[in-house]
């Protein structure tokens, strides 16, 4: 099995703790994390500048930044569990995940993180799956594992559990979970979760102590879609969490596959709708393998790592911006004027950042700067899929 690692990116122990603190601070989402590091060059420098940046953004109630001691204690507890912390840019950070625009700055893993950078396929579906759906998930998963493909899923009941179980013996499965690694959800999967930690890998954005809640699952779905080269939907109702995973995979330019089902079964309507929208009809593993990229892309440096003679590029946006300085060709744009045009475009319904940019007359860097300040000020939040929305409790 071939794995790839990212270019060398080394942080001191203190910088790693500061990266965790920065990522954990309310108002600093994945995109803001990247922009702050692009601007200040290190998590320590960004963390020092953060309170003043937030005050400048109009935030009165400054959030509490976790202490370095708290982060160190979490790291030690995780290591005692056989786990570890991955910072974006680490050599063993999941390869395909590093290409998405809102790649998580910090991940918590238990097991072998190398499994997260293999050629992988996500298999997702209904919790209340039919016997036929479970059998299909087991068959596809086992044959993918036999083809040296890692199977990624969400450790939920039904289709997810069947997919994990079928790929467990060769150790080619990874589970993205919504809560902390010290919480098992659902409880009946405690044995399966422990087995995946031993033979495959568990991964989450949630720190230890996090009890899974509804708002955590879209981030879990983002991990499944982002780690995988493609995503297979076996059974899914319309408007289900499974279709969120498929939508994220589409937004990340990943292959999407769907198993057709009876129009009389509500659990088939989501997959059938995906087929109408162009997903690959999947009846056997060859339908997956025939469309799956045969090679993984070359590793990508995180956007804040300066490359010789190259501008820093924030992945996922329509044009690059210079990460470390402003070129002579750039021109100054009035921040108040940019804000007056950007803010009316936003609502509590998430919209892609690219859509906001298309409807503005300003440069990419000016719009991103405004969105950064709005997030630091607690006015907006970035959500999975490179989208932005107004905070419902904004003042």
């Amino acid at each position: 099995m071939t794995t790839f690692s990212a270019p060398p990116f080394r942080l001191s122990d203190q910088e790693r703790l500061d990266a965790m603190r920065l990522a954990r601070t309310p108002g600093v989402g994945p995109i803001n994390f990247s922009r702050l590091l692009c601007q200040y060059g290190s998590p320590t420098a960004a963390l020092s500048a953060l309170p003043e940046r937030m005050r400048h953004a109009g935030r009165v109630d400054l959030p509490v930044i976790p202490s370095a001691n708290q982060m160190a204690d979490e790291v030690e507890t995780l290591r005692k569990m056989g786990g570890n912390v991955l910072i974006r840019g680490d050599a063993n950070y999941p390869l395909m995940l590093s290409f998405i625009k809102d790649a998580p700055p910090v991940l918590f893993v238990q097991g072998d993180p190398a499994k997260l950078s293999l050629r992988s396929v996500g298999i997702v579906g209904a919790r209340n799956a039919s016997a036929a759906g479970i059998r299909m998930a087991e068959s596809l998963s086992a044959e993918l594992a036999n083809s040296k493909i890692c199977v990624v899923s969400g450790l939920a009941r039904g289709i997810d559990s069947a997919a994990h179980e079928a790929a467990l013996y060769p150790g080619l499965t990874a589970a993205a979970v919504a809560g902390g690694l010290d919480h098992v959800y659902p409880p009946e999967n405690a044995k399966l979760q422990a087995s995946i930690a031993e033979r495959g890998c568990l991964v989450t954005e949630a720190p230890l102590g996090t009890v899974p809640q509804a708002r955590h699952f879209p981030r879990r779905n983002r991990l499944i879609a982002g780690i995988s080269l493609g995503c297979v939907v076996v059974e899914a109702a319309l408007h289900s969490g499974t279709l969120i995973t498929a939508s994220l995979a589409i937004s990340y330019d990943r292959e999407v596959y769907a198993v057709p089902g009876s129009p009389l079964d509500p659990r088939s309507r989501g997959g059938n709708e995906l087929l109408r929208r162009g997903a690959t009809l999947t009846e056997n593993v060859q339908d997956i393998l025939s469309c799956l990229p045969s090679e993984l892309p070359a590793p990508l440096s995180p956007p804040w790592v300066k490359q010789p003679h190259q501008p820093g590029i924030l992945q996922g946006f329509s044009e690059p911006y210079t990460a470390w300085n402003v070129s002579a060709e750039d021109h100054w744009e009035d921040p108040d004027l940019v804000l007056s045009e950007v803010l009316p475009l936003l609502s509590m319904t998430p919209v892609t950042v690219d859509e906001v940019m298309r409807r503005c007359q300003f440069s990419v860097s000016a719009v991103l700067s405004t969105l950064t300040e709005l997030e630091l000020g607690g006015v907006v939040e970035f959500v999975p899929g490179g989208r932005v929305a107004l905070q419902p409790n904004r003042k």
Side-chain angles (χ1 to χ4, degrees):
M1 289 178 288
T2 303
T3 60
F4 291 82
S5 60
F9 172 68
R10 295 181 179 85
L11 293 174
S12 68
D13 290 344
Q14 183 61 51
E15 286 176 324
R16 295 184 71 80
L17 295 177
D18 286 341
M20 293 174 64
R21 297 171 66 201
L22 184 65
R24 193 80 59 84
T25 302
V28 180
I31 293 176
N32 245 348
F33 182 94
S34 292
R35 288 187 59 80
L36 288 168
L37 262 66
C38 284
Q39 182 171 359
Y40 295 105
S42 77
T44 303
L47 200 62
S48 297
L50 192 58
E52 181 57 34
R53 285 292 301 272
M54 286 187 163
R55 278 190 287 269
H56 182 267
R59 192 155 189 167
V60 179
D61 54 334
L62 295 181
V64 176
I65 299 175
S67 70
N69 286 340
Q70 180 184 341
M71 298 298 97
D73 289 344
E74 286 189 20
V75 171
E76 183 59 28
T77 301
L78 189 60
R79 284 177 178 163
K80 288 178 180 178
M81 296 170 54
N84 210 338
V85 177
L86 302 182
I87 309 294
R88 187 179 177 192
D90 284 348
N92 52 1
Y93 188 91
L95 174 63
M96 292 305 300
L97 193 62
S98 68
F99 284 89
I100 72 174
K101 64 186 72 175
D102 53 349
V106 178
L107 293 172
F108 304 92
V109 298
Q110 190 177 17
D112 181 4
K115 302 291 174 71
L116 303 175
S117 291
L118 298 172
R119 290 176 71 221
S120 302
V121 168
I123 296 182
V124 293
R127 289 174 171 82
N128 62 332
S130 68
I134 289 174
R135 186 168 67 251
M136 186 65 169
E138 290 172 339
S139 173
L140 292 176
S141 181
E143 292 188 68
L144 284 169
N146 287 338
S147 300
K148 309 303 181 186
I149 305 293
C150 185
V151 175
V152 184
S153 197
L155 202 63
R157 301 177 181 93
I159 296 299
D160 290 23
S161 295
H164 287 306
E165 291 275 11
L168 188 59
Y169 178 73
L172 284 173
T173 190
V177 297
L181 293 174
D182 53 347
H183 283 274
V184 176
Y185 185 84
E188 61 264 32
N189 274 355
K191 183 177 179 181
L192 178 57
Q193 180 166 325
S195 297
I196 295 173
E198 181 180 352
R199 302 186 64 85
C201 189
L202 300 169
V203 59
T204 183
E205 279 188 78
L208 294 177
T210 303
V211 179
Q213 298 178 17
R215 61 189 174 87
H216 297 138
F217 285 90
R219 293 187 178 275
R220 185 278 309 264
N221 297 342
R222 172 181 62 159
L223 295 179
I224 298 170
I227 289 170
S228 307
L229 288 167
C231 185
V232 185
V233 173
V234 177
E235 286 182 337
L238 289 172
H239 313 299
S240 63
T242 299
L243 292 193
I244 293 176
T245 307
S247 295
L248 288 168
I250 292 169
S251 74
Y252 299 152
D253 294 323
R254 307 297 160 84
E255 299 290 337
V256 175
Y257 310 85
V259 176
S262 168
L264 301 178
D265 188 342
R267 291 169 295 195
S268 298
R269 290 177 183 166
N272 290 345
E273 177 61 25
L274 288 173
L275 290 171
R276 276 191 287 271
R277 290 162 51 190
T280 299
L281 189 147
T282 303
E283 297 178 317
N284 55 59
V285 74
Q286 287 306 318
D287 292 328
I288 300 172
L289 296 176
S290 64
C291 298
L292 199 69
S294 59
E295 298 290 337
L296 290 168
L300 178 74
S301 294
W304 54 84
V305 174
K306 188 179 181 182
Q307 301 296 325
H309 311 298
Q310 292 181 358
I313 297 177
L314 188 58
Q315 289 296 317
F317 292 111
S318 55
E319 63 181 83
Y321 72 98
T322 302
W324 297 85
N325 50 44
V326 179
S327 72
E329 298 176 357
D330 289 338
H331 62 280
W332 183 82
E333 293 169 295
D334 185 349
D336 291 335
L337 192 57
V338 179
L339 178 63
S340 70
E341 189 164 324
V342 168
L343 198 53
L345 297 174
L346 305 175
S347 70
M348 284 185 282
T349 301
V351 62
T352 65
V353 175
D354 283 335
E355 179 69 16
V356 175
M357 290 175 181
R358 279 194 295 270
R359 298 186 180 277
C360 285
Q361 59 179 322
F362 303 105
S363 66
V364 170
S365 58
V367 174
L368 289 177
S369 250
T370 296
L371 292 175
T372 294
E373 297 303 319
L374 289 172
E375 186 179 31
L376 291 175
V379 177
V380 304
E381 63 176 339
F382 286 91
V383 296
R387 297 173 298 158
V388 63
L390 291 177
Q391 288 270 24
N393 59 345
R394 78 188 198 283
K395 298 179 180 178

